[in-house]
Amino acid sequence: MAFDGLFTKAMTSELQQLVTGRISKVHQPNQLELLLHIRAQGKNHKLLISIHPSYSRIHLTNTANVNPSEPPMFCMLLRKHIEGGVITGVDQHGSDRLIILRIRARNEIGDEIERELHVEMMGRHSNIILVDTERDMILDSLKHLPPSVNSYRTILPGQDYVFPPSQDKQDPFAADADFGGLTDKEIVSRFAGFSPVTAKELNYRLERNPDGAAAFLSDFNAPQPAGYYVEQNGKSYFSATELTHLGQDNMRFDNLSELLDRIYYAKAERDRVKQQAGDLERWLQNEIAKLKLKLKKLQKEQDQAKKRDQLQLNGELIMANLHTIKKGMKQAEVVNYYNEETVTITLDPRKTPIENSQKYYSRYQKAKTAVVKTHEQIEKTEEDIRYFELLMQQVQQAGLSDIEEIREELAEQGYMKAQKSKKKKKPQKPNVEHYVSSTGIPISVGKNNKQNDYVTFKVASKSDTWLHTKDIPGSHVIIHSQEPDEDTILEAASIAAYFSKARESASVPVDYTEVRQVKKPSGAKPGFVIYFEQKTVYVTPDEDLVLKLKK
């Protein structure tokens, strides 16, 4: 990644469209993010600010966010000071990863006030700080930093605001900036705003054109910068200039916000889900481990019980040789009349031959009953393992709202206690995701068992097309069309493969059939169905396609 000072400069240019815009709403989806709704130049914008240690950033976004029912204290403070305010400037501090939103608002009695929202994007030191510009004083911040932690900068309400320490580096945009003959490390250490990736790109271009620095820097100074993204050797790189040293497969985006939405949305969403569902994931892992251990024990018991035929044979052979077996004998050697081999049978010397025979018959009957019961328990245990593994896959691909529905399902099935809530929730319909194929046909997707049952048996028409990965845990996908075209079927199949356990696989088999051919067996667990008259297509999950088709 490369949200360095140069990228921050480019983002500052892109955010100039917010100047003169009015902040209509302030939300804090979680402890690391802010979302400002801004009306500017006749358009509605959503400005996302994150101080995540790995994903710190600021950009416009089109993605939906789930907000808590009760706003946190910092959110309430921002609503008091900047909601309804007008953005008068968006500036970068030097070449640092620090963007300042200058805001003119009014206080409770209607007097005009000036506020600044400082967005510091510095990895684990990232922060959002609200500053009273008249007194140059911190009103509050998303993260507090007492003197015991940092004697140079105290970030607490009421303290004077101090900028992060300057690194005393040269301005790369200065007329006398000279990059000639410098190594990548020397560029990073000498000039402000460079990360190793951008330094390497500059040197790569200078090797081919000694006068190429101006053109390189102009991309970061453009009024409407484009974004570039490359994945190489499992790592992701992005910039506001094409990263030619990483090859020719740069993915181009019309603007930086679109670029960051594409890169970070899935990662940040997964991180948010992990925070909310870490306990649920651990619980499922423990349950699966316990069930697999139980299954091993049951299979061992079944193997032992399968030896019952020898018990029956021993009883028969004792009865057939009553004339040679006497009470007091500890064992008897008799001929097995099925294969003419000699068999040694252990006897209880305290019992008569007939009692020994009856003992073997009795053990045979118990073993016979045990096999049936063990077989039933094995089937039930295997079913539970499949169910919990399906839930695990759903948790690993879930959004925040999906997690709550999975918890509710486990409580309804009696596996977990229902979470107590102060407020009584009204019954709500499952929130399924919607997509539109390239030919304009609506597609619905269930991402957990509640949604799967709802989308298949409540939303879909009998003539709609139903899709699911073949013999692989995954989502129910509905094409809302009686006769979908081939492109729509393949796109819907790609969505089904993406929201399945085979997300990282290639050539995934996906079955499809009419909804009328999908049945739910009596007493089956949520999400479980059987289906008939299916056809199968093979697709490779494509995240870009899924994001492109999302409604």
Side-chain angles (χ1 to χ4, degrees):
M1 298 298 181
F3 207 124
D4 53 19
L6 290 176
F7 190 89
T8 304
K9 184 176 184 66
M11 179 57 74
T12 304
S13 296
E14 181 167 302
L15 295 182
Q16 293 307 309
Q17 60 188 297
L18 300 180
V19 176
T20 72
R22 187 176 296 277
I23 301 171
S24 57
K25 292 179 185 176
V26 178
H27 292 298
Q28 187 178 338
N30 55 65
Q31 60 183 354
L32 299 175
E33 291 182 345
L34 279 181
L35 194 67
L36 306 183
H37 291 250
I38 301 165
R39 178 73 177 176
Q41 300 179 19
K43 294 181 180 179
N44 293 321
H45 304 272
K46 288 192 294 183
L47 181 66
L48 176 68
I49 307 171
S50 172
I51 62 167
H52 190 286
S54 302
Y55 315 136
S56 57
R57 65 202 189 279
I58 178 171
H59 62 93
L60 300 174
T61 182
N62 292 316
T63 58
N65 287 76
V66 178
N67 297 307
S69 55
E70 294 184 9
M73 291 299 295
F74 186 64
C75 179
M76 294 294 289
L77 181 87
L78 290 180
R79 288 178 180 179
K80 175 184 175 182
H81 285 273
I82 67 171
E83 201 167 72
V86 174
I87 297 175
T88 58
V90 180
D91 304 304
Q92 180 184 16
H93 177 65
S95 295
D96 292 339
R97 291 169 292 168
L98 197 168
I99 289 180
I100 302 171
L101 300 179
R102 307 188 191 279
I103 302 161
R104 185 177 67 247
R106 293 188 181 276
N107 60 19
E108 296 91 335
I109 59 175
D111 292 338
E112 198 170 88
I113 56 175
E114 300 287 338
R115 297 288 183 261
E116 289 181 354
L117 199 63
H118 289 229
V119 182
E120 301 177 356
M121 297 160 289
M122 300 172 181
R124 61 190 181 89
H125 302 295
S126 300
N127 208 346
I128 303 172
I129 305 171
L130 181 65
V131 178
D132 179 345
T133 53
E134 291 182 9
R135 295 177 288 176
D136 206 23
M137 184 185 77
I138 297 172
L139 294 171
D140 206 350
S141 59
L142 203 50
K143 288 196 304 191
H144 290 173
L145 199 65
S148 58
V149 176
N150 190 328
S151 58
Y152 178 81
R153 292 185 82 207
T154 298
I155 308 296
L156 289 173
Q159 296 291 318
D160 292 341
Y161 178 78
V162 177
F163 281 100
S166 173
Q167 295 180 315
D168 296 324
K169 294 183 179 181
Q170 296 180 38
D171 180 3
F173 294 92
D176 59 348
D178 184 7
F179 305 97
L182 298 180
T183 65
D184 303 343
K185 287 185 178 180
E186 287 171 336
I187 290 175
V188 172
S189 62
R190 191 174 299 182
F191 289 94
F194 275 89
S195 64
V197 172
T198 46
K200 189 169 287 189
E201 176 62 24
L202 174 58
N203 260 340
Y204 181 82
R205 295 194 192 183
L206 291 177
E207 287 173 6
R208 285 150 184 77
N209 177 11
D211 299 321
F216 170 82
L217 292 170
S218 67
D219 286 343
F220 297 96
N221 224 1
Q224 294 180 325
Y228 296 88
Y229 175 62
V230 181
E231 281 191 14
Q232 194 173 92
N233 299 324
K235 292 184 178 181
S236 302
Y237 304 91
F238 67 83
S239 183
T241 190
E242 189 173 2
L243 298 171
T244 56
H245 75 279
L246 294 175
Q248 301 301 313
D249 54 349
N250 278 234
M251 189 184 297
R252 187 184 184 281
F253 293 83
D254 292 337
N255 56 69
L256 305 184
S257 293
E258 186 183 335
L259 163 72
L260 295 182
D261 249 356
R262 165 66 180 81
I263 296 171
Y264 284 124
Y265 176 71
K267 292 179 181 178
E269 176 74 1
R270 181 66 200 134
D271 190 78
R272 288 191 289 266
V273 170
K274 273 192 170 181
Q275 292 179 29
Q276 296 289 329
D279 62 322
L280 179 57
E281 199 165 339
R282 287 191 298 273
W283 184 87
L284 286 168
Q285 286 172 341
N286 290 337
E287 289 300 307
I288 291 170
K290 285 191 286 187
L291 286 168
K292 287 184 174 178
L293 183 61
K294 179 182 177 181
L295 183 61
K296 280 185 179 180
K297 290 179 179 178
L298 287 171
Q299 288 171 336
K300 188 175 180 181
E301 289 176 16
Q302 189 180 51
D303 291 340
Q304 291 173 343
K306 283 180 178 177
K307 297 175 182 177
R308 68 189 187 280
D309 291 341
Q310 185 62 45
L311 298 173
Q312 183 184 32
L313 179 61
N314 287 350
E316 289 179 2
L317 293 177
I318 291 172
M319 291 301 293
N321 292 275
L322 287 175
H323 60 288
T324 63
I325 300 173
K326 306 296 181 184
K327 184 177 181 180
M329 294 175 62
K330 292 184 178 179
Q331 61 182 33
E333 288 189 1
V334 297
V335 176
N336 181 352
Y337 42 74
Y338 290 108
N339 56 20
E340 300 299 326
E341 291 181 357
T342 300
V343 178
T344 301
I345 302 174
T346 301
L347 301 172
D348 184 343
R350 296 168 299 177
K351 297 181 183 295
T352 65
I354 292 177
E355 287 173 337
N356 271 296
S357 175
Q358 289 173 342
K359 180 182 177 182
Y360 275 110
Y361 279 128
S362 177
R363 287 173 61 190
Y364 163 73
Q365 289 298 333
K366 287 181 180 178
K368 187 177 178 182
T369 304
V371 166
V372 175
K373 289 184 178 179
T374 305
H375 181 70
E376 291 173 355
Q377 286 184 309
I378 286 174
E379 285 189 337
K380 172 70 168 58
T381 304
E382 287 176 337
E383 182 186 342
D384 286 345
I385 290 173
R386 287 194 297 271
Y387 176 61
F388 285 130
E389 285 182 340
L390 173 62
L391 290 178
M392 177 65 82
Q393 171 259 321
Q394 291 173 351
V395 167
Q396 290 170 347
Q397 297 180 357
L400 289 174
S401 58
D402 306 326
I403 292 296
E404 186 61 32
E405 290 174 347
I406 293 172
R407 289 187 192 274
E408 289 173 4
E409 177 187 331
L410 283 166
E412 290 167 3
Q413 294 295 309
Y415 291 108
M416 297 180 77
K417 287 185 178 180
Q419 291 186 334
K420 292 183 179 179
S421 176
K422 294 179 182 177
K423 296 181 181 179
K424 287 187 177 180
K425 291 184 179 179
K426 294 180 181 178
Q428 293 183 335
K429 295 177 181 178
N431 186 26
V432 302
E433 290 197 351
H434 300 284
Y435 296 79
V436 177
S437 75
S438 58
T439 55
I441 297 176
I443 299 170
S444 297
V445 180
K447 288 177 64 183
N448 59 45
N449 291 329
K450 281 197 165 195
Q451 293 177 16
N452 285 339
D453 282 348
Y454 177 71
V455 77
T456 299
F457 300 110
K458 298 291 185 183
V459 175
S461 300
K462 295 293 182 183
S463 58
D464 286 347
T465 301
W466 180 91
L467 303 94
H468 192 281
T469 43
K470 184 180 183 68
D471 301 325
I472 300 169
S475 293
H476 292 199
V477 177
I478 303 293
I479 301 173
H480 297 284
S481 172
Q482 191 168 352
E483 295 181 359
D485 56 274
E486 186 177 349
D487 287 343
T488 297
I489 290 173
L490 291 173
E491 288 168 353
S494 183
I495 294 171
Y498 182 77
F499 290 113
S500 78
K501 200 173 181 178
R503 175 179 286 190
E504 305 299 327
S505 304
S507 192
V508 179
V510 178
D511 288 338
Y512 67 97
T513 186
E514 283 192 325
V515 170
R516 71 178 79 252
Q517 300 296 338
V518 183
K519 311 294 179 187
K520 189 170 188 67
S522 177
K525 291 186 183 298
F528 181 77
V529 296
I530 54 176
Y531 53 94
F532 313 93
E533 297 187 18
Q534 70 271 20
K535 296 177 182 177
T536 305
V537 292
Y538 290 83
V539 294
T540 297
D542 185 343
E543 184 177 23
D544 290 329
L545 176 65
V546 172
L547 292 173
K548 182 181 176 183
L549 299 178
K550 189 169 172 57
K551 190 174 177 182

Tab-separated table of all heavy atoms in Angstrom, residues 177-213:
chain	number	residue	atom	x	y	z
A	177	ALA	N	14.430	21.042	-6.569
A	177	ALA	CA	14.458	19.625	-6.179
A	177	ALA	C	15.212	18.816	-7.237
A	177	ALA	O	14.909	18.885	-8.426
A	177	ALA	CB	13.045	19.087	-6.025
A	178	ASP	N	16.212	18.062	-6.794
A	178	ASP	CA	17.039	17.279	-7.719
A	178	ASP	C	17.095	15.829	-7.236
A	178	ASP	O	17.624	15.542	-6.163
A	178	ASP	CB	18.440	17.873	-7.777
A	178	ASP	CG	19.329	17.165	-8.798
A	178	ASP	OD1	18.804	16.307	-9.550
A	178	ASP	OD2	20.541	17.454	-8.835
A	179	PHE	N	16.534	14.922	-8.046
A	179	PHE	CA	16.487	13.506	-7.673
A	179	PHE	C	17.593	12.689	-8.345
A	179	PHE	O	17.696	11.481	-8.122
A	179	PHE	CB	15.122	12.904	-8.057
A	179	PHE	CG	13.949	13.638	-7.474
A	179	PHE	CD1	13.269	14.595	-8.217
A	179	PHE	CD2	13.527	13.382	-6.187
A	179	PHE	CE1	12.184	15.276	-7.682
A	179	PHE	CE2	12.446	14.062	-5.641
A	179	PHE	CZ	11.766	15.003	-6.396
A	180	GLY	N	18.370	13.330	-9.184
A	180	GLY	CA	19.355	12.612	-9.991
A	180	GLY	C	20.396	11.875	-9.164
A	180	GLY	O	20.989	12.429	-8.231
A	181	GLY	N	20.630	10.624	-9.508
A	181	GLY	CA	21.674	9.818	-8.873
A	181	GLY	C	21.352	9.307	-7.486
A	181	GLY	O	22.207	8.679	-6.854
A	182	LEU	N	20.152	9.554	-6.981
A	182	LEU	CA	19.786	9.102	-5.631
A	182	LEU	C	19.193	7.692	-5.677
A	182	LEU	O	18.477	7.339	-6.625
A	182	LEU	CB	18.770	10.059	-4.997
A	182	LEU	CG	19.218	11.501	-4.783
A	182	LEU	CD1	18.103	12.318	-4.161
A	182	LEU	CD2	20.470	11.555	-3.896
A	183	THR	N	19.478	6.913	-4.661
A	183	THR	CA	18.843	5.593	-4.544
A	183	THR	C	17.421	5.771	-4.012
A	183	THR	O	17.034	6.859	-3.547
A	183	THR	CB	19.628	4.689	-3.580
A	183	THR	OG1	19.560	5.257	-2.261
A	183	THR	CG2	21.079	4.546	-4.013
A	184	ASP	N	16.644	4.676	-4.066
A	184	ASP	CA	15.264	4.724	-3.553
A	184	ASP	C	15.248	5.178	-2.094
A	184	ASP	O	14.450	6.042	-1.693
A	184	ASP	CB	14.596	3.347	-3.665
A	184	ASP	CG	14.581	2.816	-5.084
A	184	ASP	OD1	14.778	3.630	-6.015
A	184	ASP	OD2	14.373	1.600	-5.262
A	185	LYS	N	16.124	4.598	-1.279
A	185	LYS	CA	16.175	4.933	0.156
A	185	LYS	C	16.561	6.388	0.373
A	185	LYS	O	16.039	7.057	1.274
A	185	LYS	CB	17.163	4.010	0.879
A	185	LYS	CG	16.657	2.587	1.061
A	185	LYS	CD	17.646	1.765	1.893
A	185	LYS	CE	17.118	0.351	2.124
A	185	LYS	NZ	18.066	-0.461	2.929
A	186	GLU	N	17.473	6.898	-0.452
A	186	GLU	CA	17.899	8.294	-0.314
A	186	GLU	C	16.776	9.251	-0.663
A	186	GLU	O	16.620	10.304	-0.025
A	186	GLU	CB	19.123	8.556	-1.204
A	186	GLU	CG	20.400	7.907	-0.656
A	186	GLU	CD	21.560	7.987	-1.634
A	186	GLU	OE1	21.311	8.105	-2.867
A	186	GLU	OE2	22.716	7.911	-1.175
A	187	ILE	N	15.974	8.910	-1.659
A	187	ILE	CA	14.815	9.744	-2.018
A	187	ILE	C	13.833	9.790	-0.849
A	187	ILE	O	13.333	10.859	-0.476
A	187	ILE	CB	14.128	9.214	-3.289
A	187	ILE	CG1	15.023	9.440	-4.512
A	187	ILE	CG2	12.771	9.893	-3.501
A	187	ILE	CD1	14.486	8.847	-5.796
A	188	VAL	N	13.550	8.612	-0.250
A	188	VAL	CA	12.615	8.536	0.872
A	188	VAL	C	13.123	9.355	2.057
A	188	VAL	O	12.356	10.075	2.716
A	188	VAL	CB	12.379	7.067	1.299
A	188	VAL	CG1	11.565	7.000	2.584
A	188	VAL	CG2	11.672	6.304	0.191
A	189	SER	N	14.398	9.274	2.354
A	189	SER	CA	14.950	9.951	3.529
A	189	SER	C	15.153	11.446	3.301
A	189	SER	O	15.168	12.224	4.255
A	189	SER	CB	16.274	9.309	3.942
A	189	SER	OG	17.235	9.439	2.908
A	190	ARG	N	15.309	11.870	2.032
A	190	ARG	CA	15.639	13.268	1.752
A	190	ARG	C	14.435	14.113	1.386
A	190	ARG	O	14.366	15.301	1.729
A	190	ARG	CB	16.680	13.328	0.638
A	190	ARG	CG	17.288	14.718	0.440
A	190	ARG	CD	18.408	14.683	-0.579
A	190	ARG	NE	19.520	13.808	-0.163
A	190	ARG	CZ	20.627	13.643	-0.851
A	190	ARG	NH1	20.783	14.285	-2.010
A	190	ARG	NH2	21.588	12.852	-0.411
A	191	PHE	N	13.419	13.507	0.702
A	191	PHE	CA	12.275	14.285	0.211
A	191	PHE	C	10.990	13.894	0.940
A	191	PHE	O	10.734	12.708	1.184
A	191	PHE	CB	12.101	14.089	-1.291
A	191	PHE	CG	13.184	14.745	-2.098
A	191	PHE	CD1	14.309	14.027	-2.488
A	191	PHE	CD2	13.083	16.083	-2.441
A	191	PHE	CE1	15.312	14.632	-3.221
A	191	PHE	CE2	14.097	16.697	-3.184
A	191	PHE	CZ	15.212	15.975	-3.574
A	192	ALA	N	10.189	14.889	1.246
A	192	ALA	CA	8.927	14.663	1.962
A	192	ALA	C	7.900	13.995	1.056
A	192	ALA	O	7.844	14.257	-0.152
A	192	ALA	CB	8.378	15.993	2.479
A	193	GLY	N	7.083	13.133	1.656
A	193	GLY	CA	5.931	12.569	0.939
A	193	GLY	C	6.167	11.269	0.219
A	193	GLY	O	5.216	10.662	-0.287
A	194	PHE	N	7.422	10.795	0.148
A	194	PHE	CA	7.724	9.584	-0.617
A	194	PHE	C	7.648	8.343	0.264
A	194	PHE	O	8.167	8.311	1.383
A	194	PHE	CB	9.134	9.663	-1.228
A	194	PHE	CG	9.190	10.386	-2.535
A	194	PHE	CD1	9.390	11.762	-2.562
A	194	PHE	CD2	9.037	9.710	-3.726
A	194	PHE	CE1	9.443	12.442	-3.767
A	194	PHE	CE2	9.080	10.378	-4.936
A	194	PHE	CZ	9.286	11.756	-4.964
A	195	SER	N	7.013	7.315	-0.277
A	195	SER	CA	7.088	5.968	0.296
A	195	SER	C	8.065	5.174	-0.571
A	195	SER	O	8.420	5.606	-1.675
A	195	SER	CB	5.708	5.305	0.272
A	195	SER	OG	5.279	5.119	-1.066
A	196	PRO	N	8.523	4.016	-0.105
A	196	PRO	CA	9.446	3.213	-0.936
A	196	PRO	C	8.891	2.897	-2.321
A	196	PRO	O	9.644	2.867	-3.300
A	196	PRO	CB	9.637	1.937	-0.104
A	196	PRO	CG	9.447	2.390	1.308
A	196	PRO	CD	8.373	3.437	1.244
A	197	VAL	N	7.578	2.681	-2.425
A	197	VAL	CA	6.984	2.323	-3.721
A	197	VAL	C	7.063	3.495	-4.699
A	197	VAL	O	7.460	3.325	-5.863
A	197	VAL	CB	5.517	1.878	-3.539
A	197	VAL	CG1	4.830	1.689	-4.896
A	197	VAL	CG2	5.444	0.582	-2.751
A	198	THR	N	6.697	4.698	-4.233
A	198	THR	CA	6.733	5.850	-5.136
A	198	THR	C	8.181	6.245	-5.466
A	198	THR	O	8.474	6.702	-6.580
A	198	THR	CB	5.983	7.049	-4.527
A	198	THR	OG1	6.368	7.212	-3.158
A	198	THR	CG2	4.491	6.829	-4.588
A	199	ALA	N	9.089	6.061	-4.515
A	199	ALA	CA	10.500	6.349	-4.793
A	199	ALA	C	11.041	5.398	-5.860
A	199	ALA	O	11.774	5.809	-6.780
A	199	ALA	CB	11.320	6.221	-3.508
A	200	LYS	N	10.661	4.139	-5.756
A	200	LYS	CA	11.113	3.151	-6.740
A	200	LYS	C	10.545	3.471	-8.117
A	200	LYS	O	11.230	3.331	-9.148
A	200	LYS	CB	10.675	1.756	-6.290
A	200	LYS	CG	11.271	0.621	-7.114
A	200	LYS	CD	11.013	-0.726	-6.441
A	200	LYS	CE	11.885	-0.880	-5.214
A	200	LYS	NZ	11.850	-2.238	-4.644
A	201	GLU	N	9.278	3.913	-8.154
A	201	GLU	CA	8.662	4.268	-9.439
A	201	GLU	C	9.360	5.463	-10.071
A	201	GLU	O	9.626	5.470	-11.285
A	201	GLU	CB	7.177	4.570	-9.225
A	201	GLU	CG	6.441	5.039	-10.468
A	201	GLU	CD	6.413	4.007	-11.594
A	201	GLU	OE1	6.536	2.791	-11.301
A	201	GLU	OE2	6.277	4.409	-12.765
A	202	LEU	N	9.685	6.480	-9.258
A	202	LEU	CA	10.380	7.658	-9.789
A	202	LEU	C	11.731	7.261	-10.379
A	202	LEU	O	12.075	7.667	-11.505
A	202	LEU	CB	10.559	8.707	-8.687
A	202	LEU	CG	11.393	9.931	-9.071
A	202	LEU	CD1	10.791	10.662	-10.268
A	202	LEU	CD2	11.540	10.880	-7.878
A	203	ASN	N	12.504	6.470	-9.656
A	203	ASN	CA	13.814	6.062	-10.166
A	203	ASN	C	13.692	5.225	-11.428
A	203	ASN	O	14.516	5.330	-12.346
A	203	ASN	CB	14.578	5.283	-9.091
A	203	ASN	CG	15.591	6.154	-8.374
A	203	ASN	OD1	15.992	7.190	-8.887
A	203	ASN	ND2	16.024	5.745	-7.192
A	204	TYR	N	12.673	4.378	-11.476
A	204	TYR	CA	12.451	3.541	-12.666
A	204	TYR	C	12.228	4.418	-13.891
A	204	TYR	O	12.746	4.142	-14.980
A	204	TYR	CB	11.248	2.635	-12.411
A	204	TYR	CG	10.911	1.690	-13.541
A	204	TYR	CD1	11.602	0.487	-13.698
A	204	TYR	CD2	9.895	1.983	-14.445
A	204	TYR	CE1	11.284	-0.392	-14.730
A	204	TYR	CE2	9.573	1.121	-15.471
A	204	TYR	CZ	10.265	-0.070	-15.610
A	204	TYR	OH	9.948	-0.931	-16.638
A	205	ARG	N	11.475	5.503	-13.713
A	205	ARG	CA	11.205	6.399	-14.849
A	205	ARG	C	12.438	7.241	-15.191
A	205	ARG	O	12.710	7.499	-16.371
A	205	ARG	CB	10.023	7.304	-14.511
A	205	ARG	CG	8.709	6.556	-14.338
A	205	ARG	CD	7.543	7.506	-14.343
A	205	ARG	NE	6.302	6.864	-13.903
A	205	ARG	CZ	5.130	7.474	-13.871
A	205	ARG	NH1	5.037	8.734	-14.250
A	205	ARG	NH2	4.060	6.830	-13.454
A	206	LEU	N	13.174	7.676	-14.156
A	206	LEU	CA	14.358	8.503	-14.426
A	206	LEU	C	15.432	7.726	-15.182
A	206	LEU	O	16.193	8.300	-15.970
A	206	LEU	CB	14.938	9.041	-13.111
A	206	LEU	CG	14.091	10.084	-12.372
A	206	LEU	CD1	14.739	10.466	-11.049
A	206	LEU	CD2	13.884	11.324	-13.244
A	207	GLU	N	15.489	6.400	-14.956
A	207	GLU	CA	16.441	5.567	-15.688
A	207	GLU	C	16.131	5.580	-17.181
A	207	GLU	O	17.022	5.453	-18.020
A	207	GLU	CB	16.395	4.136	-15.165
A	207	GLU	CG	17.031	3.959	-13.789
A	207	GLU	CD	16.806	2.566	-13.231
A	207	GLU	OE1	16.251	1.711	-13.971
A	207	GLU	OE2	17.158	2.317	-12.068
A	208	ARG	N	14.858	5.740	-17.533
A	208	ARG	CA	14.441	5.737	-18.942
A	208	ARG	C	14.331	7.138	-19.522
A	208	ARG	O	14.402	7.329	-20.726
A	208	ARG	CB	13.091	5.007	-19.054
A	208	ARG	CG	13.264	3.498	-18.914
A	208	ARG	CD	12.057	2.814	-18.302
A	208	ARG	NE	12.353	1.384	-18.131
A	208	ARG	CZ	13.118	0.893	-17.144
A	208	ARG	NH1	13.664	1.717	-16.254
A	208	ARG	NH2	13.356	-0.402	-17.078
A	209	ASN	N	14.109	8.126	-18.607
A	209	ASN	CA	14.019	9.516	-19.058
A	209	ASN	C	14.517	10.421	-17.935
A	209	ASN	O	13.795	10.684	-16.972
A	209	ASN	CB	12.571	9.875	-19.408
A	209	ASN	CG	12.422	11.330	-19.817
A	209	ASN	OD1	13.414	12.035	-20.032
A	209	ASN	ND2	11.175	11.794	-19.889
A	210	PRO	N	15.740	10.909	-18.000
A	210	PRO	CA	16.324	11.729	-16.924
A	210	PRO	C	15.510	12.978	-16.594
A	210	PRO	O	15.643	13.541	-15.510
A	210	PRO	CB	17.707	12.104	-17.474
A	210	PRO	CG	18.013	11.026	-18.480
A	210	PRO	CD	16.701	10.669	-19.100
A	211	ASP	N	14.647	13.397	-17.522
A	211	ASP	CA	13.830	14.595	-17.287
A	211	ASP	C	12.384	14.225	-16.906
A	211	ASP	O	11.472	15.049	-17.034
A	211	ASP	CB	13.809	15.471	-18.546
A	211	ASP	CG	15.220	15.954	-18.923
A	211	ASP	OD1	15.974	16.278	-17.988
A	211	ASP	OD2	15.530	15.981	-20.122
A	212	GLY	N	12.175	13.016	-16.434
A	212	GLY	CA	10.810	12.537	-16.194
A	212	GLY	C	10.217	12.889	-14.840
A	212	GLY	O	9.055	12.564	-14.568
A	213	ALA	N	10.972	13.574	-13.965
A	213	ALA	CA	10.471	13.872	-12.617
A	213	ALA	C	9.251	14.792	-12.643
A	213	ALA	O	8.296	14.595	-11.882
A	213	ALA	CB	11.580	14.483	-11.764
